């Protein structure tokens, strides 16, 4: 069950990262420099990333705490997703923009 949780987690994390990168590309096409585009994209897309992650975490809390009938078998799935989303939100907000700026710098050289 925890392996299925990892697969779900990867899907959510990649979706959040794509959301930031795609919006950065759109801002660059409008004429913003890369650093300004990344900065604005992170500010604008922070709320959707947080809302997606928090809704998932709060929705899985009863399952992770084994509060429902038959939830003992699904508790590992919920715990993997909750832990992974907690860490991935921080990485998505800080690591993805930094990697984007670094990769853009390599392309310009």
């Amino acid at each position: 069950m925890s392996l299925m949780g990892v697969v779900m987690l990867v899907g959510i994390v990649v979706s959040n990262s794509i959301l930031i990168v795609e919006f950065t590309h759109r801002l660059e096409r409008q004429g913003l420099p890369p650093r300004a585009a990344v900065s604005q994209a992170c500010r604008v897309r922070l709320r959707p990333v947080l809302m997606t992650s928090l809704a998932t975490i709060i929705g899985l809390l009863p399952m992770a705490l084994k509060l429902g009938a038959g939830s003992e078998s699904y508790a590992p799935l919920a715990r993997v997703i909750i832990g992974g989303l907690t860490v991935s939100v921080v990485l998505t907000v800080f690591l993805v923009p930094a990697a984007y700026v670094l990769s853009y710098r390599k392309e310009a050289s």
Side-chain angles (χ1 to χ4, degrees):
M1 284 309 245
S2 59
L3 184 59
M4 191 173 11
V6 170
V7 172
M8 286 179 61
L9 174 67
V10 167
I12 295 171
V13 172
V14 168
S15 174
N16 288 342
S17 298
I18 289 173
L19 189 67
I20 291 174
V21 171
E22 188 273 329
F23 194 68
T24 303
H25 281 302
R26 187 180 307 164
L27 291 174
E28 279 189 87
R29 276 182 269 157
Q30 293 176 357
L32 274 134
R35 283 185 184 237
V38 167
S39 176
Q40 186 174 349
C42 287
R43 279 193 307 264
V44 170
R45 294 299 179 192
L46 177 64
R47 186 175 299 163
V49 168
L50 287 177
M51 292 298 288
T52 301
S53 300
L54 285 175
T56 305
I57 289 170
I58 291 169
L60 289 173
L61 275 177
M63 188 186 301
L65 297 174
K66 301 179 187 176
L67 295 179
S71 63
E72 294 86 15
S73 61
Y74 291 106
L77 175 125
R79 290 181 184 148
V80 165
I81 295 174
I82 289 172
L85 278 179
T86 304
V87 172
S88 75
V89 167
V90 175
L91 292 177
T92 300
V93 171
F94 294 110
L95 190 64
V96 169
Y100 184 87
V101 169
L102 289 175
S103 68
Y104 181 81
R105 192 179 296 161
K106 287 182 180 180
E107 279 183 15
S109 298

